[in-house]
Amino acid sequence: MHDHDDDHAHGHEHAHGHDHDNRYSDMQARVKALETLLTEKGLIDPAAIDAIVETYETKVGPRNGAHVVAKAWSDADFADWLKRDATAAIASLGYTGRQGEHMRAVFNTAETHNLVVCTLCSCYPWSVLGLPPVWYKAPAYRSRAVIDPRGVLAEFGLTLPEDKKIRVWDSTAELRYLVIPERPEGTDGMDEQTLAGLVSRDAMIGTAVARRPGSAT
């Protein structure tokens, strides 16, 4: 974990090793080869594959995490459980890690904004966020999120007050993070399903905030 005021300190040690997502590179290569072969035979349309991947990456996958966030906003007991034992709280909703990794929920507040990165590869909470976005795996994000988190957030269109602390959390194969964004104003009385619709994938990584009711993005 790295705190920025702007300085940083390690909150835990890496445990990166052979269990990392990088081990799927061989599988990804095989999938790409199969996709190429099927495309050449005229059996699939690459554009259709891209559309399916994009949908799962940005819409279907993150619905799990949005459900977790909405429940935390609506249920104080669940929010407390999430703070104490995110792995168990998230599993109670039916979402479990594909590698058995532990989860930690970090809550945005008026004083602190949380941002998640994996500096050595691309560890990511698949069980609640689906497929990682391409930029999350990019070397530029993985390095600059730690060195200049405020600048990185600005490039995502998120400009934070100078007095708000930015805390950067470094995922590992054993421990992955879910950002619980601040609940937007004007959402009193909304049910969990409606609240979940305000929560984007990026807000749960920390590169965005939750949408306000009626906003387009």
Side-chain angles (χ1 to χ4, degrees), residues 62-214:
R63 286 180 184 173
N64 295 349
H67 180 200
V68 174
V69 172
K71 189 167 183 63
W73 285 347
S74 306
D75 185 336
D77 289 338
F78 181 79
D80 182 65
W81 187 14
L82 199 59
K83 291 176 182 178
R84 291 184 287 105
D85 188 349
T87 305
I90 292 171
S92 75
L93 301 180
Y95 313 133
T96 57
R98 63 189 181 87
Q99 295 178 3
E101 68 274 0
H102 294 291
M103 290 292 301
R104 179 172 179 181
V106 290
F107 288 67
N108 286 352
T109 68
E111 296 78 28
T112 303
H113 181 88
N114 296 285
L115 178 65
V116 179
V117 66
C118 181
T119 56
L120 293 186
C121 54
S122 57
C123 290
Y124 189 77
W126 289 57
S127 59
V128 288
L129 293 186
L131 297 173
V134 172
W135 54 260
Y136 184 85
K137 298 178 285 185
Y141 175 77
R142 286 157 43 194
S143 60
R144 292 188 57 233
V146 173
I147 298 169
D148 180 24
R150 198 173 297 274
V152 168
L153 292 178
E155 291 176 10
F156 276 93
L158 179 59
T159 302
L160 298 175
E162 288 297 326
D163 60 350
K164 175 167 281 195
K165 178 185 292 185
I166 301 174
R167 188 169 283 179
V168 180
W169 301 90
D170 202 346
S171 293
T172 71
E174 289 74 25
L175 180 62
R176 306 188 184 195
Y177 297 91
L178 176 69
V179 174
I180 308 300
E182 291 183 88
R183 181 169 177 167
E185 295 181 359
T187 59
D188 293 345
M190 287 185 175
D191 60 27
E192 288 184 16
Q193 183 175 356
T194 304
L195 288 171
L198 302 175
V199 183
S200 68
R201 174 204 64 196
D202 289 5
M204 293 181 282
I205 298 173
T207 55
V209 295
R211 292 184 289 268
R212 293 183 178 182

